[in-house]
Coordinates of all heavy atoms in Angstrom, one line a residue:
G1 N 110.1 256.9 52.1 CA 110.8 256.3 53.2 C 110.2 255.1 53.8 O 109.2 254.7 53.3
T2 N 111.0 254.5 54.6 CA 110.6 253.1 55.1 C 109.7 253.4 56.4 O 110.1 254.2 57.2 CB 111.7 252.4 55.5 OG1 112.6 252.3 54.3 CG2 111.3 250.9 55.9
Y3 N 108.6 252.8 56.4 CA 107.7 253.0 57.6 C 107.8 251.7 58.5 O 107.6 250.6 58.1 CB 106.3 253.1 57.2 CG 105.3 253.3 58.3 CD1 105.4 254.4 59.2 CD2 104.4 252.3 58.6 CE1 104.5 254.6 60.3 CE2 103.5 252.5 59.7 CZ 103.6 253.6 60.5 OH 102.8 253.9 61.6
C4 N 108.3 251.9 59.6 CA 108.6 250.7 60.5 C 107.5 250.9 61.8 O 107.4 251.9 62.3 CB 109.9 250.8 61.1 SG 110.3 249.5 62.2
Q5 N 106.9 249.7 61.9 CA 105.9 249.7 63.0 C 106.2 248.6 64.0 O 106.5 247.5 63.6 CB 104.4 249.5 62.4 CG 103.4 249.6 63.5 CD 102.0 249.4 63.0 OE1 101.9 248.9 61.8 NE2 100.9 249.7 63.7
T6 N 106.1 249.0 65.3 CA 106.4 248.0 66.3 C 105.2 247.1 66.4 O 104.1 247.5 66.6 CB 106.7 248.6 67.6 OG1 107.8 249.5 67.5 CG2 107.1 247.7 68.7
A7 N 105.4 245.8 66.2 CA 104.3 244.9 66.3 C 104.0 244.5 67.8 O 104.9 244.1 68.5 CB 104.8 243.4 65.7
V8 N 102.8 244.8 68.1 CA 102.3 244.6 69.5 C 101.3 243.3 69.4 O 100.3 243.5 68.7 CB 101.6 245.8 70.1 CG1 101.1 245.4 71.5 CG2 102.6 247.0 70.2
A9 N 101.7 242.3 70.1 CA 100.8 241.0 70.0 C 99.4 241.6 70.6 O 99.3 242.2 71.6 CB 101.4 239.9 70.7
P10 N 98.3 240.9 70.2 CA 97.0 241.1 70.8 C 96.9 240.7 72.1 O 96.1 241.4 72.9 CB 96.1 240.2 69.9 CG 96.9 240.0 68.5 CD 98.3 240.0 69.0
A11 N 97.9 239.9 72.6 CA 97.8 239.5 74.0 C 98.4 240.5 75.0 O 98.3 240.3 76.2 CB 98.6 238.0 74.1
S12 N 98.9 241.6 74.3 CA 99.5 242.6 75.2 C 98.5 243.4 75.9 O 98.4 244.6 75.8 CB 100.5 243.4 74.4 OG 101.5 242.7 74.0
K13 N 97.7 242.8 76.8 CA 96.6 243.4 77.4 C 96.6 243.1 79.0 O 97.3 242.1 79.3 CB 95.2 243.1 76.9 CG 94.8 243.8 75.7 CD 93.3 243.5 75.2 CE 92.9 244.4 74.2 NZ 92.7 245.8 74.6
G14 N 96.2 243.9 79.7 CA 95.9 243.8 81.1 C 94.7 244.4 81.6 O 93.8 244.7 80.7
E15 N 94.5 244.6 82.8 CA 93.2 245.1 83.4 C 93.5 246.2 84.4 O 94.5 246.2 85.0 CB 92.5 243.9 84.1 CG 92.1 242.8 83.1 CD 91.4 241.7 83.8 OE1 91.5 241.5 85.1 OE2 90.6 241.0 83.2
I16 N 92.4 247.1 84.4 CA 92.3 247.9 85.5 C 91.1 247.7 86.2 O 90.1 247.6 85.6 CB 92.3 249.5 84.9 CG1 93.6 249.8 84.1 CG2 92.2 250.4 86.2 CD1 93.5 251.2 83.4
Q17 N 91.2 247.5 87.5 CA 90.0 247.2 88.3 C 89.8 248.4 89.3 O 90.6 248.7 90.0 CB 90.2 245.9 89.1 CG 88.9 245.5 89.9 CD 89.1 244.2 90.6 OE1 89.5 244.2 91.7 NE2 88.7 243.1 89.9
F18 N 88.5 249.0 89.2 CA 88.2 250.0 90.2 C 87.3 249.3 91.4 O 86.4 248.7 91.0 CB 87.3 251.1 89.4 CG 88.2 251.9 88.4 CD1 88.2 251.4 87.2 CD2 88.8 253.1 88.8 CE1 89.0 252.1 86.3 CE2 89.5 253.8 87.8 CZ 89.6 253.4 86.6
V19 N 87.7 249.6 92.5 CA 87.1 249.1 93.7 C 86.6 250.2 94.5 O 87.3 251.1 95.1 CB 88.0 248.2 94.5 CG1 87.2 247.6 95.8 CG2 88.6 247.1 93.7
N20 N 85.2 250.4 94.6 CA 84.5 251.5 95.3 C 84.3 250.9 96.8 O 83.3 250.1 96.9 CB 83.3 251.8 94.6 CG 82.6 253.0 95.3 OD1 83.1 253.5 96.4 ND2 81.6 253.6 94.7
N21 N 85.0 251.4 97.9 CA 84.8 250.9 99.1 C 84.0 251.8 99.9 O 83.7 251.7 101.1 CB 86.2 250.9 99.9 CG 87.1 250.0 99.2 OD1 86.9 248.7 99.1 ND2 88.2 250.4 98.7
S22 N 83.3 252.8 99.1 CA 82.4 253.8 99.7 C 80.9 253.3 99.5 O 80.6 252.5 98.6 CB 82.6 255.1 99.2 OG 81.6 256.0 99.5
S23 N 80.1 253.8 100.2 CA 78.6 253.5 100.0 C 77.9 254.5 98.9 O 76.9 254.4 98.6 CB 77.8 253.6 101.3 OG 78.0 254.9 101.9
N24 N 78.9 255.4 98.6 CA 78.4 256.4 97.6 C 78.9 256.1 96.2 O 80.0 255.5 96.0 CB 79.0 257.9 98.0 CG 78.4 258.3 99.3 OD1 77.3 258.3 99.5 ND2 79.3 258.6 100.2
P25 N 78.2 256.6 95.1 CA 78.6 256.4 93.8 C 79.8 257.3 93.3 O 79.7 258.4 93.8 CB 77.2 256.7 93.0 CG 76.5 257.5 93.8 CD 76.7 257.2 95.2
Y26 N 80.5 256.7 92.5 CA 81.6 257.5 91.9 C 81.6 257.5 90.4 O 81.3 256.4 89.9 CB 83.0 257.0 92.5 CG 83.4 257.6 93.8 CD1 82.7 256.9 94.9 CD2 84.4 258.4 94.1 CE1 83.1 257.5 96.3 CE2 84.8 258.8 95.2 CZ 84.0 258.4 96.4 OH 84.4 258.9 97.7
Y27 N 82.1 258.7 89.8 CA 82.3 258.7 88.4 C 83.7 258.0 88.2 O 84.6 258.4 88.9 CB 82.3 260.1 87.8 CG 80.9 260.7 87.8 CD1 80.7 261.9 88.7 CD2 79.9 260.3 87.0 CE1 79.5 262.4 88.7 CE2 78.6 260.9 87.0 CZ 78.4 262.0 87.8 OH 77.2 262.6 87.9
I28 N 83.9 257.2 87.1 CA 85.2 256.6 86.8 C 85.8 257.1 85.5 O 84.9 257.1 84.4 CB 85.0 255.0 86.7 CG1 84.4 254.4 88.0 CG2 86.3 254.4 86.3 CD1 85.2 254.6 89.2
Y29 N 86.9 257.6 85.6 CA 87.5 258.1 84.4 C 88.8 257.4 84.1 O 89.6 257.0 85.0 CB 87.9 259.6 84.6 CG 86.8 260.7 84.6 CD1 86.2 260.8 85.8 CD2 86.4 261.3 83.5 CE1 85.2 261.7 86.0 CE2 85.4 262.2 83.7 CZ 84.8 262.4 84.9 OH 83.7 263.4 85.1
I30 N 89.2 257.0 82.8 CA 90.4 256.5 82.4 C 91.0 257.4 81.4 O 90.4 257.7 80.4 CB 90.2 255.0 81.9 CG1 89.7 254.1 83.0 CG2 91.6 254.6 81.3 CD1 89.5 252.7 82.5
S31 N 92.1 258.0 81.7 CA 92.9 259.0 80.8 C 91.9 260.1 80.4 O 91.9 260.4 79.2 CB 93.3 258.2 79.4 OG 94.2 257.1 79.7
G32 N 91.2 260.5 81.4 CA 90.4 261.7 81.1 C 89.0 261.4 80.5 O 88.3 262.3 80.2
V33 N 88.7 260.2 80.2 CA 87.4 259.9 79.5 C 86.5 259.2 80.5 O 86.9 258.2 81.1 CB 87.7 258.9 78.3 CG1 86.3 258.6 77.6 CG2 88.7 259.6 77.4
L34 N 85.3 259.7 80.6 CA 84.3 259.2 81.6 C 83.9 257.7 81.1 O 83.5 257.7 80.0 CB 83.1 260.1 81.7 CG 81.9 259.5 82.6 CD1 82.5 259.5 84.1 CD2 80.8 260.5 82.6
Q35 N 84.1 256.8 81.9 CA 83.7 255.4 81.6 C 82.3 255.0 82.0 O 81.5 254.4 81.4 CB 84.8 254.4 82.1 CG 86.2 254.7 81.8 CD 86.4 254.6 80.3 OE1 85.9 253.7 79.6 NE2 87.2 255.4 79.7
T36 N 82.1 255.3 83.4 CA 80.7 254.9 84.0 C 80.6 255.5 85.3 O 81.4 256.1 85.8 CB 80.9 253.3 84.1 OG1 79.6 252.9 84.4 CG2 81.8 252.9 85.3
T37 N 79.4 255.3 85.9 CA 79.2 255.6 87.2 C 79.3 254.3 88.0 O 78.5 253.4 87.8 CB 77.9 256.3 87.4 OG1 77.8 257.4 86.6 CG2 77.6 256.7 88.9
L38 N 80.1 254.2 89.0 CA 80.3 253.0 89.9 C 79.6 253.1 91.2 O 79.8 253.9 91.9 CB 81.8 252.6 90.0 CG 82.1 251.3 90.7 CD1 81.6 250.1 89.7 CD2 83.6 251.2 91.0
P39 N 78.4 252.3 91.3 CA 77.7 252.3 92.5 C 78.6 252.0 93.8 O 79.6 251.4 93.6 CB 76.6 251.3 92.3 CG 76.6 251.0 90.8 CD 77.9 251.2 90.3
G40 N 78.0 252.4 94.9 CA 78.8 252.1 96.1 C 79.0 250.6 96.4 O 78.2 249.8 96.1
M41 N 80.1 250.3 97.0 CA 80.4 248.9 97.4 C 80.4 247.9 96.3 O 80.0 246.7 96.4 CB 79.5 248.5 98.6 CG 79.3 249.3 99.6 SD 80.9 249.9 100.4 CE 81.4 248.3 101.2
T42 N 80.8 248.3 95.1 CA 81.0 247.5 94.0 C 82.4 247.7 93.3 O 83.0 248.5 93.7 CB 79.9 247.7 92.9 OG1 79.9 249.1 92.5 CG2 78.5 247.4 93.5
Y43 N 82.6 246.8 92.3 CA 83.9 247.1 91.6 C 83.6 246.8 90.1 O 82.5 246.2 89.7 CB 84.9 246.1 92.0 CG 84.7 244.6 91.9 CD1 85.2 244.0 90.7 CD2 84.1 243.9 92.9 CE1 85.0 242.6 90.4 CE2 83.8 242.5 92.6 CZ 84.3 241.9 91.4 OH 84.1 240.6 91.3
I44 N 84.6 247.2 89.2 CA 84.4 247.0 87.7 C 85.8 246.9 87.2 O 86.8 247.4 87.7 CB 83.6 248.1 87.1 CG1 83.2 247.8 85.7 CG2 84.3 249.5 87.2 CD1 82.2 248.7 85.1
T45 N 85.9 246.0 86.2 CA 87.2 245.6 85.6 C 87.2 246.0 84.1 O 86.3 245.7 83.3 CB 87.5 244.2 85.8 OG1 87.4 243.9 87.1 CG2 88.9 244.0 85.3
Y46 N 88.2 246.7 83.7 CA 88.3 247.0 82.2 C 89.6 246.3 81.6 O 90.6 246.3 82.3 CB 88.5 248.6 82.1 CG 87.3 249.3 82.4 CD1 87.1 249.8 83.7 CD2 86.2 249.5 81.4 CE1 86.0 250.6 84.0 CE2 85.0 250.2 81.9 CZ 85.0 250.9 83.2 OH 83.8 251.5 83.5
S47 N 89.4 245.9 80.5 CA 90.6 245.3 79.7 C 91.1 246.5 78.8 O 90.4 247.1 78.0 CB 90.0 244.2 78.8 OG 91.2 243.6 78.1
V48 N 92.4 246.7 79.1 CA 93.1 247.7 78.4 C 94.4 247.2 77.9 O 95.1 246.3 78.2 CB 93.3 248.9 79.3 CG1 92.0 249.6 79.7 CG2 94.2 248.5 80.5
N49 N 94.9 248.0 76.9 CA 96.4 247.8 76.4 C 97.4 248.1 77.6 O 97.2 248.8 78.4 CB 96.6 248.6 75.3 CG 95.8 248.1 74.0 OD1 95.5 247.0 73.8 ND2 95.4 249.2 73.2
V50 N 98.5 247.4 77.4 CA 99.6 247.4 78.4 C 100.1 248.9 78.3 O 100.2 249.6 77.2 CB 100.7 246.6 78.2 CG1 102.0 246.9 78.8 CG2 100.3 245.1 78.3
G51 N 100.4 249.5 79.4 CA 100.8 250.9 79.5 C 100.4 251.7 80.8 O 100.0 250.9 81.8
S52 N 100.6 252.9 80.8 CA 100.3 253.7 82.1 C 99.2 254.6 81.9 O 99.0 255.3 80.9 CB 101.6 254.5 82.4 OG 101.3 255.3 83.6
Y53 N 98.2 254.5 82.8 CA 97.0 255.2 82.6 C 96.8 256.1 83.8 O 97.0 255.7 85.0 CB 95.9 254.3 82.4 CG 95.8 253.4 81.2 CD1 96.5 252.2 81.2 CD2 95.2 253.8 80.1 CE1 96.6 251.5 80.1 CE2 95.2 253.1 78.8 CZ 95.9 251.8 78.9 OH 95.9 251.0 77.8
T54 N 96.2 257.3 83.6 CA 95.8 258.1 84.7 C 94.3 257.9 85.0 O 93.5 258.0 84.1 CB 95.9 259.7 84.3 OG1 97.4 259.9 84.1 CG2 95.4 260.5 85.5
C55 N 93.9 257.3 86.2 CA 92.6 257.1 86.5 C 92.1 258.2 87.6 O 92.9 258.3 88.6 CB 92.7 255.6 87.1 SG 93.3 254.4 85.9
R56 N 90.9 258.5 87.3 CA 90.3 259.6 88.2 C 89.0 259.0 88.7 O 88.2 258.5 87.9 CB 90.2 260.9 87.5 CG 89.5 261.9 88.4 CD 89.3 263.1 87.4 NE 88.5 264.2 88.1 CZ 87.8 265.1 87.5 NH1 87.6 265.1 86.3 NH2 87.0 266.0 88.2
V57 N 88.8 259.2 90.0 CA 87.5 258.9 90.6 C 86.9 260.2 91.2 O 87.5 260.9 91.9 CB 87.6 257.8 91.7 CG1 88.0 256.5 91.1 CG2 88.5 258.2 92.8
L58 N 85.7 260.4 90.8 CA 85.0 261.6 91.3 C 83.7 261.3 92.0 O 82.8 260.6 91.4 CB 84.8 262.6 90.2 CG 83.9 263.9 90.5 CD1 84.8 264.8 91.5 CD2 83.7 264.6 89.2
Q59 N 83.6 261.7 93.3 CA 82.2 261.3 94.0 C 81.0 261.9 93.3 O 81.0 263.2 93.1 CB 82.5 261.7 95.4 CG 81.3 261.2 96.2 CD 81.7 261.5 97.8 OE1 82.7 261.9 98.1 NE2 80.7 261.1 98.7
K60 N 80.1 261.1 93.1 CA 78.8 261.6 92.4 C 77.9 262.2 93.4 O 77.3 263.3 93.1 CB 78.1 260.5 91.6 CG 76.9 261.0 90.9 CD 76.3 259.8 90.2 CE 75.0 260.3 89.5 NZ 74.3 259.2 88.8
S61 N 77.7 261.7 94.5 CA 76.8 262.2 95.6 C 77.1 261.6 96.9 O 77.9 260.8 97.1 CB 75.4 261.7 95.1 OG 75.3 260.3 95.2
G62 N 76.6 262.1 97.9 CA 76.6 261.7 99.3 C 77.7 262.5 100.1 O 78.1 262.2 101.2
Y63 N 78.1 263.7 99.6 CA 79.1 264.4 100.1 C 78.5 265.6 100.8 O 77.4 266.0 100.4 CB 80.2 264.8 99.2 CG 79.8 265.5 98.0 CD1 79.6 266.8 97.8 CD2 79.7 264.7 96.8 CE1 79.3 267.5 96.7 CE2 79.2 265.3 95.7 CZ 78.9 266.7 95.5 OH 78.6 267.2 94.4
A64 N 79.2 266.3 101.8 CA 78.7 267.4 102.5 C 79.0 268.7 101.7 O 78.0 269.4 101.5 CB 79.3 267.4 103.8
V65 N 80.1 269.0 101.5 CA 80.5 270.3 100.9 C 81.2 270.0 99.5 O 80.7 270.5 98.5 CB 81.4 271.1 101.8 CG1 81.7 272.5 101.0 CG2 80.9 271.3 103.2
Y66 N 82.4 269.2 99.4 CA 82.9 269.0 98.3 C 83.1 267.4 98.0 O 83.3 266.7 99.0 CB 84.4 269.6 98.3 CG 84.5 271.1 98.5 CD1 84.8 271.7 99.7 CD2 84.2 271.9 97.4 CE1 84.9 273.0 99.8 CE2 84.3 273.3 97.6 CZ 84.6 273.8 98.8 OH 84.7 275.3 99.0
P67 N 82.9 267.1 96.7 CA 83.1 265.6 96.5 C 84.6 265.2 96.5 O 85.5 266.0 96.2 CB 82.6 265.6 94.9 CG 82.9 266.9 94.4 CD 82.6 267.9 95.6
T68 N 84.7 263.9 96.8 CA 86.0 263.4 96.9 C 86.5 263.3 95.4 O 85.8 262.7 94.6 CB 86.1 262.0 97.4 OG1 85.6 262.0 98.9 CG2 87.5 261.4 97.4
D69 N 87.7 263.7 95.1 CA 88.2 263.8 93.7 C 89.6 263.4 93.8 O 90.4 264.1 94.1 CB 88.1 265.2 93.1 CG 88.4 265.3 91.6 OD1 88.9 264.2 91.1 OD2 88.2 266.3 91.1
Q70 N 89.9 262.1 93.3 CA 91.2 261.6 93.5 C 91.8 261.0 92.2 O 91.0 260.4 91.3 CB 91.3 260.5 94.5 CG 91.2 261.0 96.0 CD 91.1 259.9 96.9 OE1 90.3 259.0 97.0 NE2 92.0 259.9 97.8
S71 N 93.0 261.2 91.8 CA 93.7 260.6 90.7 C 94.7 259.6 91.0 O 95.4 259.8 91.9 CB 94.2 261.7 89.7 OG 93.1 262.5 89.1
Y72 N 94.8 258.6 90.3 CA 95.8 257.5 90.4 C 96.5 257.3 89.1 O 95.9 257.4 88.0 CB 95.2 256.3 90.9 CG 94.3 256.5 92.2 CD1 92.9 256.8 92.1 CD2 94.9 256.1 93.5 CE1 92.2 257.0 93.3 CE2 94.0 256.3 94.5 CZ 92.7 256.6 94.4 OH 91.9 256.8 95.5
T73 N 97.7 256.8 89.3 CA 98.4 256.2 88.0 C 98.3 254.7 88.0 O 98.8 254.1 89.1 CB 99.9 256.7 87.9 OG1 100.0 258.1 87.9 CG2 100.7 256.0 86.8
A74 N 97.8 254.1 87.0 CA 97.7 252.6 86.9 C 98.8 252.2 85.9 O 98.7 252.5 84.7 CB 96.3 252.2 86.6
N75 N 99.7 251.4 86.3 CA 100.5 250.8 85.4 C 100.1 249.3 85.0 O 100.2 248.5 85.9 CB 102.0 250.7 86.0 CG 102.5 252.1 86.2 OD1 102.6 253.0 85.2 ND2 102.9 252.5 87.4
V76 N 99.7 249.2 83.9 CA 99.1 247.9 83.4 C 100.2 247.0 82.8 O 100.8 247.5 81.7 CB 98.0 248.1 82.5 CG1 97.4 246.8 82.0 CG2 96.9 248.9 83.1
T77 N 100.4 245.8 83.3 CA 101.4 244.9 82.7 C 100.6 243.9 81.9 O 99.4 243.7 82.2 CB 102.2 244.3 83.8 OG1 101.4 243.8 84.7 CG2 103.1 245.4 84.4
K78 N 101.3 243.1 81.0 CA 100.8 242.0 80.3 C 100.2 241.1 81.1 O 100.8 240.4 82.0 CB 101.8 241.5 79.3 CG 101.1 240.4 78.4 CD 102.2 239.9 77.4 CE 101.7 238.9 76.5 NZ 102.6 238.3 75.5
G79 N 98.8 240.7 81.2 CA 98.1 239.8 81.9 C 98.0 240.2 83.3 O 97.4 239.4 84.1
G80 N 98.4 241.4 83.7 CA 98.3 241.9 85.1 C 97.0 242.6 85.3 O 96.4 243.1 84.4
T81 N 96.7 242.9 86.6 CA 95.6 243.8 87.0 C 96.1 244.8 87.9 O 96.6 244.5 89.0 CB 94.5 242.8 87.7 OG1 94.0 241.9 86.8 CG2 93.3 243.8 88.1
A82 N 95.9 246.1 87.4 CA 96.1 247.2 88.3 C 94.9 247.6 89.0 O 93.8 247.8 88.4 CB 96.6 248.3 87.4
V83 N 95.0 247.6 90.4 CA 93.7 247.9 91.2 C 93.7 249.2 91.7 O 94.8 249.7 92.3 CB 93.7 246.9 92.4 CG1 92.5 247.1 93.2 CG2 93.7 245.4 91.8
V84 N 92.8 250.0 91.4 CA 92.5 251.3 91.9 C 91.4 251.2 93.1 O 90.2 251.1 92.7 CB 92.1 252.3 90.8 CG1 91.8 253.6 91.5 CG2 93.1 252.4 89.7
S85 N 91.8 251.2 94.2 CA 90.9 250.9 95.4 C 90.7 252.4 96.0 O 91.7 253.1 96.4 CB 91.4 250.1 96.4 OG 90.6 249.8 97.5
F86 N 89.5 252.8 96.2 CA 89.2 254.1 96.9 C 87.9 254.1 97.6 O 87.2 253.1 97.6 CB 89.1 255.2 95.5 CG 87.8 254.8 94.7 CD1 86.7 255.3 95.0 CD2 88.1 253.9 93.7 CE1 85.6 255.0 93.9 CE2 87.0 253.6 92.8 CZ 85.8 254.1 92.9
P87 N 87.5 255.2 98.5 CA 88.4 256.3 98.6 C 89.7 256.0 99.6 O 89.6 255.0 100.1 CB 87.4 257.3 99.2 CG 86.4 256.3 99.9 CD 86.4 255.2 99.1

């Protein structure tokens, strides 16, 4: 049979930026995969392919009883930056 593949230009990339507005560190997940631990009051940017991503932030320390655990949907467009600002 004929195999047809949709050509995606290498330029079809965008960014996801995580902004930690807390003084506490957070674990950063993209599509269920742990990326890094983001220190308090800092940000980090990832270059990813265009598409929709589930982004999760999980508080590492500094909580009383339960850590803050939030998920966001980041829609990445070509050349665009999806910002995940938390908590």
Side-chain angles (χ1 to χ4, degrees):
T2 308
Y3 180 65
C4 180
Q5 185 177 15
T6 304
V8 177
S12 293
K13 278 188 168 292
E15 294 177 337
I16 301 176
Q17 183 178 89
F18 291 86
V19 182
N20 186 352
N21 299 299
S22 164
S23 57
N24 300 307
Y26 277 73
Y27 293 115
I28 303 297
Y29 294 83
I30 299 177
S31 299
V33 180
L34 178 63
Q35 304 294 323
T36 190
T37 300
L38 186 61
M41 307 308 289
T42 60
Y43 68 90
I44 192 167
T45 306
Y46 293 96
S47 177
V48 295
N49 291 323
V50 167
S52 182
Y53 296 85
T54 298
C55 302
R56 178 185 175 206
V57 297
L58 175 62
Q59 189 172 353
K60 180 181 178 182
S61 62
Y63 52 88
V65 182
Y66 298 106
T68 300
D69 185 353
Q70 293 175 297
S71 292
Y72 305 84
T73 299
N75 293 305
V76 179
T77 56
K78 184 176 177 179
T81 301
V83 178
V84 177
S85 184
F86 61 92

